Structures are given as structure tokens and as C-alpha cells.
Amino acid sequence: MNALDQARRIIAEALALPTDLAPMDGSMETLPEWDSIGHVRIVLAVEAAIGRPLPPDAMLGAIDVPSVAALLD
């Protein structure tokens, strides 16, 4: 699974959405479920996937599927 697909899966699971509702260009602005609590869930899921905590700037920069995918690479 490539990083974009993994990011879509992580985001969908964190937001309790089917994966097909987390498009490649999905973001905080386009997914109503991606609110502050959803963002925390996404960050925690990314940290679990990579096995380490994210620095604050990375947490704040995770605003869409591509930026989450970049954290997984």
C-alpha cells in the first residue's frame, strides 16, 4: 500500500468514514468530519503507524491527505 492510500485509510478510520469518502484531495476544509477532535484522532493514528510521536509543526501541518501521506513516508 502506498503512502497516499495508507493516509486515506488512516483518515477514513479516524473520522469513521468509508475509505471512498476520503478522496485523494480530502482536507480539513472539504471533510466536515475533520474537526478538532477528528484531527487529534488522525494525528494519533499517524503516530501509531510510524511508531513515534510527531513534532508540533508536523501535527499542525497535517491538513489534507497528501500532507498526512508525507508524514507516513
Side-chain angles (χ1 to χ4, degrees), residues 9 22 31 42 45 50 53 61 67-68 70-71 73:
R9 183 187 53 77
L31 297 170
I42 291 166
I50 64 173
S67 61
V68 171
L71 297 173
D73 274 343

Side-chain angles (χ1 to χ4, degrees), residues 4-5 7-8 13-15 17 22 26 28 38 43 45-47 52-53 58-60 66:
L4 277 172
D5 289 334
R8 286 181 64 222
E13 288 177 5
L15 301 179
L17 294 171
M28 294 176 91
V43 167
V46 169
E47 289 178 335
R52 62 181 168 78
M59 289 181 200
L60 295 174

